[in-house]
Amino acid sequence: MSIFEKTMQEMREDQRIPECVEEVFAETLDNLPEKKRKTANRKWYKYAAAALVIAGTINCLANPAFAAKLPLVGNIFRMVQEKVPFSGNYSEKAESLTVIGTEDSQSRVEQNDYSVTVGGVTFTASEVYCDGVSVFLTAEVTNDNGGFAKIPGESMYLRGSWNYEGEEYSWGMEYLRGVVVDDHTFVGMVKFNLPEYATGPKKLTVSVTSIGWDDVDIRDNDAEAHRVKGNWNMDIPFTADTETVKNITVGREEKGYTLEHIILSKYQVTAQVTAPDKECYVALFTQDGEALAFESGSMDEDTGVNRFFFAVQGKTITKLYVSVWDDFSAWVQACKQGMDSIDADRVVLIEELEM
Amino acid sequence: MDLLVQRAKRQDKTAFIQLMEKHKSSMYKVARAILKNDEDVADAMQETILTCWEKIHTLRQDAYFKTWLTRILINHCNAMYRKRQLCVAEVQEEGGMDYGYCDVEWKVLLNALEEKYRLLIVLYYVEGFKSREIADMLGIKESTVRTRIARAREQLEMQYKR
């Protein structure tokens, strides 16, 4: 037997699994869902990564002085709303989940039913807003052991799942984007994309199973430097605010790709394209040919429905050019360089819509 | 094995868990051939388990369960890999892989291979897939699979001689 064959045999016989893998494996099998899990966030990684490449990182600075003037919980939108990718004025319309104390109450609420502490880490839901397409939830995370001052960027990482209308949705890894307030406190916003357009009062059940964050002193760039596991579960009531939302049915089909809907709210534009078993990417351009910032996307593998989410970021949109692509690199180039860069031979379809 | 697959397809959790346990080691090796750390491997395996649990009723031929499972795993690993590549694009990696335990000669050898060869070696020599199956799984030509396997082996043989 050659050395090569011997090594391959050793590899075949090696049944060892590292403890951290074993742990997740067993935990997953122990908690197999009874009902079919929805695939709203499938392909999350691919699209989230693209969002980073296209948009770059947002600039986000901690501002403890500002934070100190107001109670944190109940006022988090004000602190983060201009610093998150889906920026805009949420604070006027958001629903507070807390009974807020006075300004003298040392940045603390007097009563809060939306707060859970596990292992010294407290997750407190603060305010919620829904534009019919997504739920935007703000939260404060505190850690008795501190360490948040070493967070290098503007995000913490949440893992777990959420339940809406009786269906469970896998979260993968989700960003809580916001600001470091002090070494023990981080506040931010997390976004949930609802499976269908919502109206009226609804409820979201959030189950966070781990909270993670980076550390400037730990150059482990493949994963969070710190990750606390637990069960931070809570019900979040909200009422969809769809007064100013435009929901346009398009129904244009080309080469097996169907542009179904465009939904425009104050904060985001959502494009829905059905393309079973195909690579599918969407870029949006305003009346000026400027690309809207792509933020995330998802695909339901059962139905072939792709949804792409773009940030409005305060732009006045009177016309939208919707372009659908089957080529990743061409799409990235279009998103980065704007409508003038489009190579007509490489785009699947373009639709012009008056808004 | 086929009986377990049939039971799992009827949403028998016990059977499904047994199936996953049987393939755990294979899943780990395949995922490790693509991903660079065990946390990502754990996440990819978790997503694979959940996908398989949801979709197992769609599996047409029970005998191809392992191929089907491996294809799903590779898809999740590739998605994760792409994310990591893009997220850390500007950060230089330091050192080699994070192995997780010490006696890891095969991992060191695999790491010496180019990425496109690493997965093929595991699928072909360790997991016993045929070149036709690998070609279907990865969406490449069978002749390409055979050529790459031969080159991968050459590369590994060279490593031994150093």
Side-chain angles (χ1 to χ4, degrees), chain A residues 156-175:
Chain A
M156 294 190 77
Y157 309 104
L158 307 178
R159 293 171 197 262
S161 62
W162 49 283
N163 193 297
Y164 175 74
E165 307 271 86
E167 296 285 356
E168 192 179 342
Y169 298 88
S170 169
W171 222 350
M173 185 175 78
E174 193 57 76
Y175 292 97

Side-chain angles (χ1 to χ4, degrees), chain A residues 3 7 11-12 14-16 18 22 28 32-34 37 42 45 52 159 173 219 221-222 302, chain B residues 13 24-25 28-29 37 39 43 46 53-55 83-84 87-88 91 94 103 106 125 160:
Chain A
I3 300 174
T7 307
M11 197 169 166
R12 279 191 290 272
D14 188 350
Q15 300 295 312
R16 293 169 300 172
E22 190 80 64
T28 309
L32 287 174
E34 290 300 328
R37 193 179 57 140
R42 272 311 148 68
Y45 293 115
L52 284 175
R159 293 171 197 262
M173 185 175 78
R219 289 195 62 191
N221 293 296
D222 287 335
D302 291 338
Chain B
K13 271 191 186 177
K24 180 169 64 178
S25 170
Y28 175 70
K29 287 169 194 165
N37 75 60
E39 281 219 326
D43 286 345
Q46 181 178 47
W53 174 237
E54 286 166 10
K55 298 280 179 72
K83 176 204 168 198
R84 293 303 189 204
C87 286
V88 300
V91 181
E94 290 180 347
D103 183 16
W106 61 263
Y125 286 109
Y160 291 121

Side-chain angles (χ1 to χ4, degrees), chain B residues 62-76:
Chain B
D62 299 348
Y64 289 111
F65 173 77
K66 187 176 176 183
T67 309
W68 177 77
L69 168 74
T70 307
R71 189 184 295 134
I72 291 170
L73 176 65
I74 291 170
N75 284 342
H76 282 303

Side-chain angles (χ1 to χ4, degrees), chain B residues 4 12 32 35-36 66 80 84 130 134 138 149:
Chain B
L4 277 180
D12 179 334
R32 207 53 167 78
L35 297 169
K36 294 180 178 177
K66 187 176 176 183
M80 176 88 68
R84 293 303 189 204
K130 297 185 176 88
I134 297 172
L138 302 179
I149 287 170

Side-chain angles (χ1 to χ4, degrees), chain A residues 291-349:
Chain A
L292 286 184
F294 168 75
E295 289 303 336
S296 64
S298 63
M299 178 190 176
D300 187 321
E301 289 168 346
D302 291 338
T303 61
V305 172
N306 298 266
R307 292 200 302 165
F308 292 81
F309 302 90
F310 299 82
V312 171
Q313 295 175 334
K315 292 184 180 70
T316 301
I317 299 172
T318 57
K319 192 179 280 185
L320 262 186
Y321 295 94
V322 185
S323 60
V324 180
W325 307 78
D326 58 4
D327 181 86
F328 181 78
S329 56
W331 169 66
V332 169
Q333 187 186 337
C335 288
K336 278 181 160 179
Q337 297 178 6
M339 197 164 160
D340 291 343
S341 72
I342 289 183
D343 178 348
D345 293 337
R346 297 178 78 182
V347 67
V348 174
L349 73 84

Side-chain angles (χ1 to χ4, degrees), chain A residues 18 20-21 24 159 173 219-225 227, chain B residues 27-45 77 80-81 83-85 88 93-94 96-101 107 111 118:
Chain A
C20 67
V21 177
V24 173
R159 293 171 197 262
M173 185 175 78
R219 289 195 62 191
D220 177 5
N221 293 296
D222 287 335
E224 308 99 295
R227 191 166 160 187
Chain B
M27 288 169 74
Y28 175 70
K29 287 169 194 165
V30 170
R32 207 53 167 78
I34 302 171
L35 297 169
K36 294 180 178 177
N37 75 60
D38 285 333
E39 281 219 326
D40 283 350
V41 168
D43 286 345
M45 286 171 70
C77 290
M80 176 88 68
Y81 177 82
K83 176 204 168 198
R84 293 303 189 204
Q85 283 289 95
V88 300
E93 212 170 287
E94 290 180 347
M97 289 174 143
D98 166 23
Y99 293 118
Y101 48 82
K107 286 187 181 177
N111 194 25
R118 213 181 290 152

Side-chain angles (χ1 to χ4, degrees), chain A residues 60-76:
Chain A
C60 193
L61 301 172
N63 190 343
F66 172 60
K69 291 176 188 170
L70 291 167
L72 291 177
V73 175
N75 287 293
I76 294 175

